[in-house]
Amino acid sequence: MASLTDRLSQNTAGRYYVDGSCIDCDMCRVNAPEFFARDDDTGMSFVKQQPATEDEIAKVEQVILDCATASIGNDGA
């Protein structure tokens, strides 16, 4: 489960985030490239844009479920 205390600073402000347990598997960037990007310096993904619509939220929630390391979180704020 993603840890809010380990949230990467590259994440855009909002409820969804990637934490430091990311292994750069590319799954989130392949399945939702409009919301996730890679930081080449750290080799980790981050949330570049927060979802806004119900469909976008559903897409990001599915990516959370598919994340092999559970590195993507939703802080519910």
Side-chain angles (χ1 to χ4, degrees):
M1 173 177 239
S3 170
L4 189 56
T5 59
D6 195 23
R7 179 184 178 127
L8 299 174
S9 62
Q10 296 88 338
N11 290 292
T12 190
R15 66 193 262 189
Y16 293 99
Y17 63 94
V18 177
D19 76 4
S21 65
C22 176
I23 60 168
D24 195 28
C25 73
D26 199 33
M27 183 282 301
C28 63
R29 298 187 308 266
V30 167
N31 292 321
E34 61 272 48
F35 302 109
F36 296 91
R38 182 178 193 270
D39 182 316
D40 292 331
D41 292 333
T42 65
M44 294 184 199
S45 294
F46 64 93
V47 175
K48 69 177 183 178
Q49 177 181 319
Q50 295 288 329
T53 68
E54 285 186 32
D55 288 341
E56 290 174 348
I57 291 169
K59 187 172 192 174
V60 171
E61 289 289 336
Q62 184 60 53
V63 170
I64 290 173
L65 293 174
D66 294 341
C67 181
T69 56
S71 300
I72 305 168
N74 173 355
D75 72 5

